[in-house]
Amino acid sequence: MSDSAYRVDTTPRLAQWRIDNLASCTYRKSDPFKIGLWNWHLSLEKNRILHVKLYPEISAVTRDNPPIASFIVRVVCSAGGGRKTLTHPEITDKQLKNNDDFIWAIEVPLTGKFIIDVEFLDLKIKSPEGVEPCSIWAEGFTHKLSNLTALSTLGRMLKEGIHTDIIINACNGSIGAHLAVLSSRSPVFHGMFAHDLKEKELSTINISDMSIEACETFLHYIYGNIKQSDFLEHRLALLRAADKYDVADLREACHESLLEDIDSQNVLERLENAHLYQLHKLKTSCLLYLVKFGKIFDIRDDLNAFIQSADRDLVAEIFQEILNAWRGF
């Protein structure tokens, strides 16, 4: 069989595979063909019925950014001296990772020559911002892809310890990092190494008030590849680190997140942190939850213990809110 039997002809959004003959009990896989960011394969398996598969080639690109594809597959064959076209219903926004993600079972007998056409209507990848997937053919995609690739590369540098030049010591472990990355994200880190301080001499940073797990999450945020579950788990530790090292965007992200799930189990802790780090919106929301919505009566014992140890100015604010609520009742 000639090499052309496996070749798929392409335009930027179309792929066509010409099959001269396909015997029974046959499997055939096309050569890879490039559409968008990915190399693709078509495959055929003929037994009682014909199965057509479309899937991306296994690669780092597919693993990190599997295509979310919209497409139409057609089979054109000769029948009774004329042409007959079989069309699979349009596939919309289907993520394709392996060779079982799209299978078309064709029960109509196909003999002689036939053609498989694939029309790619759209190809998307997950957005770097974690919102709606973005089309690789949309305006501005090159910029987004560049950002995504850069973030992925930074994440690999941290995860794999590629050319690290600084050691961060947490309270229960250490991790390597990159001075240039830290300095670019934090003016405090930048200042440590712009002057002849001990951190510069020893190439170490001691963060003894953070666990290694929280410290790793902090670094993953700085490097742009933090997981949402880790962020939620370590929000308060991240808030402390953001305040200490002047990472303003992380501080604001923690502030906004802590507003979203205030309840009777965490309201006093959040109120204390809001006072400590001067988070006005969070403090207002906590006081509103406690006083105006009456939750203060559900946690009287906890509140009594809290008042014994809390900052006097904060205690005064709590009592002032209670008085204001009583006056307005």
Side-chain angles (χ1 to χ4, degrees), residues 5 34 42 52 72 101 117-118 123 135 215 241 282 294-295:
K34 185 74 174 285
L42 283 162
V52 179
I72 297 174
D101 287 336
D117 275 333
V118 183
L123 288 171
S135 171
C215 186
L282 182 59
K295 301 299 182 181

Side-chain angles (χ1 to χ4, degrees), residues 30-279:
S30 76
D31 289 336
F33 58 94
K34 185 74 174 285
I35 298 286
L37 307 177
W38 303 270
N39 286 323
W40 298 81
H41 288 285
L42 283 162
S43 71
L44 301 171
E45 186 173 352
K46 186 178 181 182
N47 198 343
R48 185 177 59 84
I49 59 178
L50 179 66
H51 291 93
V52 179
K53 298 183 179 182
L54 171 69
Y55 53 94
E57 190 173 59
I58 297 173
S59 66
V61 174
T62 302
R63 182 186 65 248
D64 296 338
N65 295 298
I68 300 170
S70 299
F71 56 91
I72 297 174
V73 182
R74 301 179 180 90
V75 171
V76 182
C77 59
S78 56
R83 285 167 60 92
K84 181 178 182 179
T85 300
L86 307 175
T87 304
H88 189 282
E90 180 180 327
I91 300 296
T92 303
D93 288 345
K94 183 175 182 63
Q95 187 175 79
L96 302 178
K97 287 186 176 181
N98 56 57
N99 62 2
D100 291 325
D101 287 336
F102 173 77
I103 304 174
W104 181 15
I106 301 176
E107 298 187 8
V108 177
L110 297 178
T111 58
K113 298 180 180 180
F114 59 94
I115 298 170
I116 299 176
D117 275 333
V118 183
E119 180 181 358
F120 289 88
L121 304 175
D122 200 2
L123 288 171
K124 299 177 181 178
I125 62 171
K126 290 182 179 179
S127 169
E129 295 83 10
V131 289
E132 289 296 317
C134 56
S135 171
I136 68 169
W137 290 316
E139 183 179 355
F141 173 76
T142 301
H143 176 67
K144 290 183 178 179
L145 180 62
S146 174
N147 288 345
L148 180 64
T149 304
L151 289 174
S152 176
T153 301
L154 280 174
R156 281 189 56 229
M157 287 170 58
L158 178 65
K159 183 179 180 180
E160 300 175 17
I162 300 174
H163 299 307
T164 56
D165 54 8
I166 191 79
I167 297 295
I168 297 180
N169 297 317
C171 67
N172 59 336
S174 301
I175 184 173
H178 303 84
L179 173 58
V181 177
L182 300 182
S183 297
S184 67
R185 293 289 277 118
S186 161
V188 176
F189 286 140
H190 182 271
M192 285 181 182
F193 293 91
H195 305 92
D196 292 327
L197 302 178
K198 65 177 182 179
E199 289 85 359
K200 181 177 181 180
E201 180 182 352
L202 299 175
S203 294
T204 60
I205 299 173
N206 294 317
I207 308 181
S208 58
D209 58 348
M210 287 189 85
S211 69
I212 187 62
E213 295 79 13
C215 186
E216 287 174 346
T217 303
F218 178 47
L219 290 176
H220 281 303
Y221 180 86
I222 286 176
Y223 281 71
N225 65 333
I226 191 171
K227 294 180 180 178
Q228 182 66 9
S229 58
D230 292 338
F231 172 75
L232 293 175
E233 181 180 354
H234 298 290
R235 274 178 295 184
L236 290 177
L238 293 175
L239 175 61
R240 288 192 293 271
D243 187 77
K244 181 178 179 180
Y245 297 107
D246 196 12
V247 185
D249 52 308
L250 175 57
R251 186 179 189 275
E252 186 58 26
C254 293
H255 187 187
E256 291 297 327
S257 178
L258 290 167
L259 287 165
E260 295 173 358
D261 55 357
I262 297 169
D263 61 33
S264 59
Q265 301 298 315
N266 62 39
V267 62
L268 295 177
E269 181 184 38
R270 296 202 180 170
L271 179 59
E272 186 172 39
N273 279 281
H275 181 72
L276 178 62
Y277 298 111
Q278 300 179 18
L279 306 177

